[in-house]
Amino acid sequence: MRRKLIAANWKLNGSTAMASGLVGDIQDGLAELDNGVEVVIIPPAIYATLVNAALAESETSVGIQDVSRWNKGAYTGEVSAPMAHDAGCRYALVGHSERRELLGETDTLIADKVDNALSASLNVILCVGETEAQREAGAQDRVVGEQLKQGLSRVSDADWLRVVVAYEPVWAIGTGRTATAEDAQSVHAVIRQTLKGMGAPAEEMTLLYGGSVKPDNAKELFAQPDIDGGLIGGASLSAPDFLAICRAA
């Protein structure tokens, strides 16, 4: 059975108080839930150590929102994959659409980051997804397929099960719009088929949906056969909402 996973992407939100208060509330709720769902908290990098300390007595993991293509050197402002691992992170989010769109990250750069993260013993959550224009042109399957093939082009056979893929239609991120459960399932099925064609153990890999997941739509989304959990943005900043999504998984 594929593992269920819910990841909280805080994006550019957070504080020292939030690192203890929100995390504490989530941990209290998860202790009561105890449904076997793996949970990952992904705060801004500056708070990763604080969040890791707050989670010291739990099974909840910490992730980092991005890693550098370089591991060390004169690259001011960068955070390397080995540094993230040293700070207690177990996951690295790579290729989020906001970084692709706002910072011009290419599939080649993303492949470098995936490789660095895996080499540093981090698990990877690779984000893929189409823009509204690409969806309207019916190109979503091709776009997502190419992002997968290029971004994961250097993954070794031994590392496939350390890769999670998160499908986030760009037009649904932070907009309040959500792909229908059927549309999301359709793309997830394409992702699994593409991974299979790449030689990956696709049926064993965890696939997430992201893009305005909320308590009121989570259950329907997670009921789809190829959706194994979610990458949660805004709703992860509210303990009751996030816990309701974890419960739905």
Side-chain angles (χ1 to χ4, degrees):
M1 180 178 292
R2 296 189 295 268
R3 74 184 189 276
K4 300 289 186 178
L5 189 151
I6 302 293
N9 178 15
W10 287 7
K11 304 190 179 184
L12 192 59
N13 299 285
S15 65
T16 54
M18 184 174 169
S20 58
L22 177 59
V23 170
D25 291 343
I26 289 172
Q27 284 305 109
D28 290 344
L30 290 176
E32 298 176 3
L33 189 60
D34 192 27
N35 64 351
V37 174
E38 182 177 0
V39 176
V40 183
I41 307 295
I42 312 177
I46 197 169
Y47 299 120
T49 302
L50 289 173
V51 171
N52 190 54
L55 296 172
E57 302 301 320
S58 77
E59 296 182 3
T60 302
S61 301
V62 182
I64 191 163
Q65 294 179 12
D66 182 49
V67 292
S68 177
R69 71 188 307 173
W70 300 290
N71 282 335
K72 62 179 180 179
Y75 305 110
T76 302
E78 294 287 284
V79 176
S80 73
M83 288 175 180
H85 184 266
D86 185 52
C89 294
R90 288 183 55 199
Y91 283 83
L93 193 62
V94 180
H96 194 281
S97 65
E98 290 160 359
R99 298 196 62 85
R100 292 177 189 262
E101 184 175 6
L102 300 176
L103 299 174
E105 292 199 357
T106 65
D107 287 319
T108 300
L109 172 60
I110 289 163
D112 288 343
K113 293 184 175 189
V114 168
D115 189 47
N116 276 359
L118 292 172
S119 296
S121 299
L122 294 170
N123 299 307
V124 167
I125 302 175
L126 173 70
C127 299
V128 298
E130 80 283 0
T131 65
E132 185 171 22
Q134 290 165 337
R135 160 69 65 165
E136 290 177 350
Q140 64 272 10
D141 293 356
R142 176 183 58 80
V143 169
V144 168
E146 283 303 307
Q147 290 172 344
L148 285 170
K149 291 173 185 176
Q150 295 186 48
L152 300 178
S153 59
R154 291 152 59 188
V155 176
S156 69
D157 290 344
D159 286 336
W160 277 117
L161 293 182
R162 292 171 49 216
V163 174
V164 173
V165 177
Y167 168 58
E168 293 196 310
V170 178
W171 47 270
I173 299 174
T175 65
R177 299 171 61 193
T178 309
T180 67
E182 293 75 15
D183 284 343
Q185 165 58 26
S186 175
V187 178
H188 278 74
V190 169
I191 290 171
R192 210 173 291 283
Q193 190 62 35
T194 302
L195 289 168
K196 184 177 180 180
M198 295 171 66
E203 294 301 326
E204 301 174 55
M205 293 176 68
T206 295
L207 306 185
L208 310 181
Y209 175 77
S212 297
V213 178
K214 301 179 179 67
D216 60 0
N217 62 25
K219 186 174 182 179
E220 183 181 12
L221 286 164
F222 299 159
Q224 302 305 308
D226 287 301
I227 300 178
D228 306 310
L231 178 59
I232 316 302
S236 72
L237 304 178
S238 161
D241 285 355
F242 186 67
L243 289 167
I245 291 169
C246 291
R247 192 173 297 113

